[in-house]
Amino acid sequence: MKLTNKIGVIVDSIGVGVREGLKKAKEVGADGVQIYAVKGEMDPANLTAAGRRELKDLIASHGLEISALCGDLGGHGFQDKTANPDKVEKSKRILDLALDLGTNIVTTHIGIVPEDENGEIYHSMQTACEELSQYAHNAGAYFAIETGPERALHLKRFLDSLSTNGVSVNFDPANMVMVTGDDPVAGVYALKDYIVHTHVKDGIRYREVDPREVYGALGFEPMDHGKISQMVSSGEIFAEVPLGEGKVDFDRYFAALQDIGYAGYLTIEREVGDQPEIDIRKAVEFIRRYKA
């Protein structure tokens, strides 16, 4: 196996701001970057046409490209029908920004897809995602749902219910390992028609947990949310770890991506740790071993 995929880095994982983060991403050996585009200087409302051109030129000046933008708006995704109109419009503006900056992918969380396909929350999510799917499809673009909150086959069933693949998948193997205990390799094959972007991350699951305890859900209140949060942050339930130190079988996982013909980015995400730049540099080296 010899990977040919480009390597990306989430600039925000480095923790030094966008512009300095671009320099660091190039220094650690990335081909491209993913950037959060929800608030602050990257909020679409704060970037004029001239500002977008300047940022695109700056990224190119470092020899980089954008693998995707992150447009995660929080608040249980699209479960709340009263909040969805504003969220859908904001998501569209983030996609417009992505296209202006040279990528056609916006990654996001949509909330946990409920088991009850006839319930109000499922319908609210379906309605919002159908609108986003059509908008992205008409622009030749994708909203990419991050894996983890539900098992791959259940997510596939939800995606199959939409009229286009404008809402597709950002595959994160560590989220699956840590939260649902799903097998990332089986997940790749289940979601093969939808994977347009990936996060490279590793993790360990120590005990079973209701995904709602981790991601939250509309109308769901854990018995002791503070205790659950403490257990998550302390690593008592699961832990994100450097690549190769967790339970993601990268030999099989990368082989599966290659087998389905995935040619997109392998984008490194590091959400914990006090030396993110060092961890990300090591992650680039880890992936490069599969490209040698």
Side-chain angles (χ1 to χ4, degrees), residues 100-157:
D100 285 344
L101 295 178
T103 182
N104 66 342
I105 299 171
V106 171
T107 69
T108 189
H109 282 272
I110 63 168
I112 300 172
V113 179
E115 292 294 331
D116 182 7
E117 297 181 10
N118 297 313
E120 182 178 338
I121 292 177
Y122 192 96
H123 181 261
S124 297
M125 295 175 68
Q126 199 173 36
T127 301
C129 287
E130 176 63 26
E131 183 174 348
L132 291 175
S133 179
Q134 291 188 26
Y135 187 82
H137 181 73
N138 290 337
Y142 303 94
F143 288 101
I145 300 170
E146 190 160 335
T147 55
E150 60 283 304
R151 297 180 74 85
L153 287 174
H154 187 56
L155 178 58
K156 179 184 184 300
R157 184 177 175 88

Side-chain angles (χ1 to χ4, degrees), residues 9 65 113 116 142 165 199 227 232 234 248 260 283:
V9 168
E65 58 187 8
V113 179
D116 182 7
Y142 303 94
N165 67 343
H199 280 167
K227 183 179 180 181
V232 169
S234 67
V248 176
I260 67 166

Side-chain angles (χ1 to χ4, degrees), residues 67-85:
S67 70
L69 291 185
C70 180
D72 184 1
L73 300 178
H76 308 323
F78 298 102
Q79 290 189 343
D80 184 356
K81 66 179 181 181
T82 63
N84 282 352

